[in-house]
Amino acid sequence: PCPMCKEPNFTTQTDKYFKRVVNGLKVRCLHKGSGCEWMGDLGSLDQHANVFPKRPWRCQYCDFTTTYDVGANDHLPLCLKFPEPCPNKCEAGTVERCDLERHLATECPLQLVACEFSRAGCTEKVPRKDLARHMEENMQKHLLNMSLLNLSLTQELHEKMDEKDRQIAELQLQLEQRDGNAK
């Protein structure tokens, strides 16, 4: 409504002369205290404020505040909340920089992961989303690998036990010889 007569339907017109007078008023930069010496027309103040490097700046990702020159140049490349694209281009799209390593290690469906039977000799690396299918499709191969690994470990264990038995026998012989010489 009109501020004077309260008429609900009214239109306003900008007084171009008065607008030129107001926009032509001389003003100083709002950041004079930060070292800016700019002085100009009020109408140019917004344009100047957008190029002044010491203007206040707030990170849109983590709310860190500083000046524009520091924030844009130094903070953004290190901001832990900055959205990084998933290197595998999965459906997550972007992930906060601080979560990218965890995303790749535990979540990303396109991240290549080693087969759960890698210790048994399976050398396959498949996207995480396909791991269950790989496990099922290669069950016989994995069982065979496990059986061979078990055989190998059992043989290695027997060899180590035989070696320990030899060492014990040798130590017993040395002990008997020392006891025999002591009498």
Side-chain angles (χ1 to χ4, degrees):
C2 172
M4 299 299 283
C5 69
K6 309 298 183 207
E7 174 67 33
N9 299 323
F10 80 103
T11 59
T12 60
Q13 288 185 330
T14 304
D15 185 326
K16 293 178 183 176
Y17 169 76
F18 190 67
K19 183 176 180 178
R20 273 194 310 273
V21 169
V22 170
N23 282 336
L25 293 172
K26 298 293 181 201
V27 293
R28 290 192 176 279
C29 178
L30 299 169
H31 307 291
K32 184 176 191 284
S34 300
C36 183
E37 296 297 323
W38 182 86
M39 184 173 182
D41 295 341
L42 178 62
S44 303
L45 182 61
D46 285 344
Q47 182 181 356
H48 163 72
N50 287 334
V51 297
F52 179 59
K54 296 288 184 193
R55 68 185 179 273
W57 181 86
R58 181 180 65 80
C59 178
Q60 66 186 25
Y61 306 109
C62 72
D63 292 332
F64 173 75
T65 56
T66 185
T67 57
Y68 179 81
D69 57 339
V70 172
N73 297 325
D74 298 336
H75 173 72
L76 280 180
L78 303 173
C79 177
L80 295 177
K81 298 288 186 176
F82 186 83
E84 291 279 353
C86 173
N88 297 322
K89 297 176 176 51
C90 76
E91 73 270 0
T94 60
V95 180
E96 289 181 351
R97 188 175 279 145
C98 62
D99 289 334
L100 188 58
E101 192 174 314
R102 179 189 52 75
H103 169 74
L104 293 173
T106 63
E107 296 173 356
C108 181
L110 301 180
Q111 179 69 17
L112 291 180
V113 293
C115 172
E116 293 175 10
F117 285 89
S118 62
R119 292 183 65 187
C122 183
T123 58
E124 294 284 325
K125 286 194 174 204
V126 296
R128 181 175 280 112
K129 67 181 180 68
D130 298 334
L131 185 59
R133 183 172 40 121
H134 165 78
M135 298 290 286
E136 189 167 324
E137 289 174 356
N138 293 279
M139 193 179 308
Q140 286 183 325
K141 177 182 158 189
H142 292 150
L143 285 173
L144 177 62
N145 285 350
M146 287 298 289
S147 178
L148 293 172
L149 177 63
N150 186 39
L151 223 75
S152 172
L153 290 174
T154 302
Q155 184 178 353
E156 186 180 324
L157 182 62
H158 284 294
E159 289 171 2
K160 286 184 178 183
M161 287 172 58
D162 289 346
E163 176 62 27
K164 292 295 177 196
D165 285 344
R166 279 192 293 278
Q167 289 175 352
I168 290 171
E170 190 176 308
L171 287 171
Q172 283 176 336
L173 184 62
Q174 289 175 3
L175 188 59
E176 289 171 4
Q177 288 174 351
R178 192 180 74 190
D179 286 347
N181 290 342
K183 290 183 182 179

